[in-house]
Amino acid sequence: MTGLERGSAAVVGVAESDLGAVAAGTTPVDLMAQASIRALDDCGLSLKDVDGIFAATSQLRNPTLQLCDYLGVTPKYQDGTNIGGCSFESHLGHAQAAIQAGLCEVALIAYGSTQRLMGRSKVNQREFNPYETPYRPFLPSSAYALSASRHMHQFGTTRRQLAEVAVAARQWALLNPLAWEKESLSIDDVLNARMVSHPFSVRDICLLSDGGGAIVVTSATRARSMRKTPAYVLGVGEHMSHASISAMPDLTVSPAAFSGPAAFRMAGLAPKDIDVLQLYDAFTLNPIMFLEDLGYCKKGEGGAFVEGGRIAPGGALSVNTNGGGLSYCHPGMYGIFLLIEAVRQIRGERGDAQARNHKLGLVHANGMVYSAGVTVILGDADTL
């Protein structure tokens, strides 16, 4: 984002709400608030310090107003932008801009969802599309399956290569006490699982869970006095492409091809500099596409790139170290959890799942059906 100053703001507090399956009667704002209080406690701040509120969810019409009501805060600045699962990475860039401009000093970014409790179809109402709805697609799976089929046709990507992504995510999840999935997973398990929308079996698709998350952002100056190591915002890139998959310009090129270079330019870094990556993995093709579009391999070579456990624990590149949306949690809009994990990696808090090198972390989040993309690069004080 032109105008943002490298390292001018930092993420200083992160937390999840309760995850998985929550009790009957729990609401999305309950989970937003729970995560918010935990994130503030993580950095040693309280609600009285918050003067900026950022929130998005598919279940509340006015999430920032409802969260403020619930928490009893009256911020100087708010932003309820909703561009799907990458809304929170977009909020982070917007929060950095607001902090630079003096519109707020401590920004709280929050999310909550009870989609498992309520049922996915009830919390994600589909809008009529004259080019898609008559064919009764099973969305979003059918949309991503269309992109995957094109990738397989054009580049020879195989279902076994897609399965490598699911298996790597599960291996990371087995190192995460908070992860939903606790059983080992093999490539054959993925290939032989119930088919949902070809080429995706149920093991190629993200979880259905409840949950929420929150992060706290403040100026670089104030960040230095916080309780834990700040994760400075070094680069942010954002790109909008389309709304419906039938309008996607190229089914094998995602918005990461545009947001990634923008984030790297702002950070003054290149893909080879990054230590650990968190990539939105609602479907197994997503990380493959993002690795290509972010510059980790050439277009069409992402399938071969992930073979042999390359992105699994002990592999050459640490990707989705919490288990991802495929095995850790996925309450609808997953982007907030990518940021939480990236910050914990930079702090060195991930125990058995800690990446060998972790000064620089990259987050790439996806919104809707490859419709929007936001790339964020975070780093510790040594990277400023």
Side-chain angles (χ1 to χ4, degrees):
M1 292 180 181
T2 303
L4 291 184
E5 181 185 340
R6 182 188 192 276
S8 63
V11 183
V12 293
V14 299
E16 302 104 330
S17 70
D18 293 345
L19 300 175
V22 298
T26 303
T27 68
V29 75
D30 284 331
L31 298 176
M32 278 188 185
Q34 185 184 52
S36 297
I37 297 300
R38 290 176 180 177
L40 288 165
D41 182 65
D42 186 54
C43 59
L45 294 175
S46 66
L47 286 173
K48 65 179 174 54
D49 297 299
V50 174
D51 58 1
I53 289 283
F54 299 70
T57 177
S58 60
Q59 291 175 259
L60 301 174
R61 183 173 297 175
N62 300 300
T64 55
L65 289 173
Q66 290 175 259
L67 183 60
C68 287
D69 245 9
Y70 194 104
L71 296 176
V73 297
T74 51
K76 294 192 296 185
Y77 191 80
Q78 71 81 40
D79 185 343
T81 299
N82 189 336
I83 52 173
C86 60
S87 299
F88 316 99
E89 283 71 17
S90 181
H91 291 166
L92 178 55
H94 298 181
Q96 185 178 20
I99 290 167
Q100 272 187 218
L103 301 175
C104 65
E105 186 178 15
V106 176
L108 175 66
I109 303 173
Y111 173 68
S113 169
T114 55
Q115 68 159 4
R116 183 181 181 86
L117 179 68
M118 301 297 292
R120 180 177 283 170
S121 61
K122 292 182 180 178
V123 301
N124 291 298
Q125 296 295 322
R126 296 292 172 192
E127 298 173 357
F128 182 82
N129 181 318
Y131 304 106
E132 297 182 10
T133 306
Y135 300 98
R136 300 181 180 179
F138 179 58
L139 294 174
S141 298
S142 296
Y144 283 95
L146 186 66
S147 173
S149 297
R150 181 65 194 176
H151 204 278
M152 295 170 78
H153 169 77
Q154 193 165 333
F155 304 116
T157 306
T158 66
R159 285 198 62 215
R160 181 169 289 274
Q161 290 171 334
L162 297 178
E164 288 264 9
V165 175
V167 170
R170 182 62 57 86
Q171 291 177 5
W172 282 113
L174 295 177
L175 302 176
N176 182 356
L178 297 178
W180 177 263
E181 293 286 0
K182 297 296 186 186
E183 296 183 357
S184 61
L185 184 73
S186 69
I187 287 178
D188 285 341
D189 291 335
V190 180
L191 298 178
N192 296 326
R194 174 172 56 86
M195 185 60 64
V196 174
S197 188
H198 192 276
F200 296 141
S201 76
V202 69
R203 296 302 178 193
D204 288 285
I205 301 175
C206 62
L207 304 172
L208 173 62
S209 70
D210 302 318
I215 66 172
V216 180
V217 188
T218 191
S219 65
T221 301
R222 187 161 180 176
R224 287 191 281 274
S225 65
M226 293 295 106
R227 180 177 288 167
K228 294 186 178 177
T229 301
Y232 294 92
V233 185
L234 305 180
V236 182
E238 184 171 321
H239 185 76
M240 308 295 120
S241 174
H242 55 275
S244 305
I245 195 73
S246 55
M248 188 172 179
D250 183 331
L251 288 170
T252 65
V253 178
S254 76
F258 305 93
S259 63
F264 281 119
R265 278 196 301 274
M266 178 178 162
L269 298 167
K272 64 178 176 54
D273 299 318
I274 302 300
D275 297 318
V276 55
L277 289 84
Q278 312 301 329
L279 307 176
Y280 203 116
D281 61 340
F283 298 86
T284 48
L285 181 69
N286 297 34
I288 289 174
M289 289 258 285
F290 297 150
L291 287 166
E292 295 171 353
D293 292 338
L294 292 169
Y296 285 88
C297 58
K298 293 181 180 178
K299 177 53 66 181
E301 296 182 357
F305 185 87
V306 301
E307 286 183 324
R310 190 171 192 167
I311 61 172
L317 188 63
S318 297
V319 176
N320 292 348
T321 48
N322 57 4
L326 291 165
S327 282
Y328 153 57
C329 77
H330 197 291
M333 297 165 67
Y334 179 66
I336 194 80
F337 302 98
L338 297 168
L339 293 167
I340 292 170
E341 177 65 10
V343 170
R344 287 176 175 161
Q345 281 286 344
I346 287 169
R347 290 175 175 175
E349 294 179 340
R350 292 296 290 118
D352 292 339
Q354 186 65 54
R356 286 187 297 272
N357 301 308
H358 50 86
K359 288 183 175 298
L360 285 164
L362 180 146
V363 167
H364 180 75
N366 177 61
M368 306 292 285
V369 287
Y370 289 127
S371 307
V374 186
T375 307
V376 173
I377 298 173
L378 301 171
D380 69 8
D382 293 340
T383 66
L384 288 172

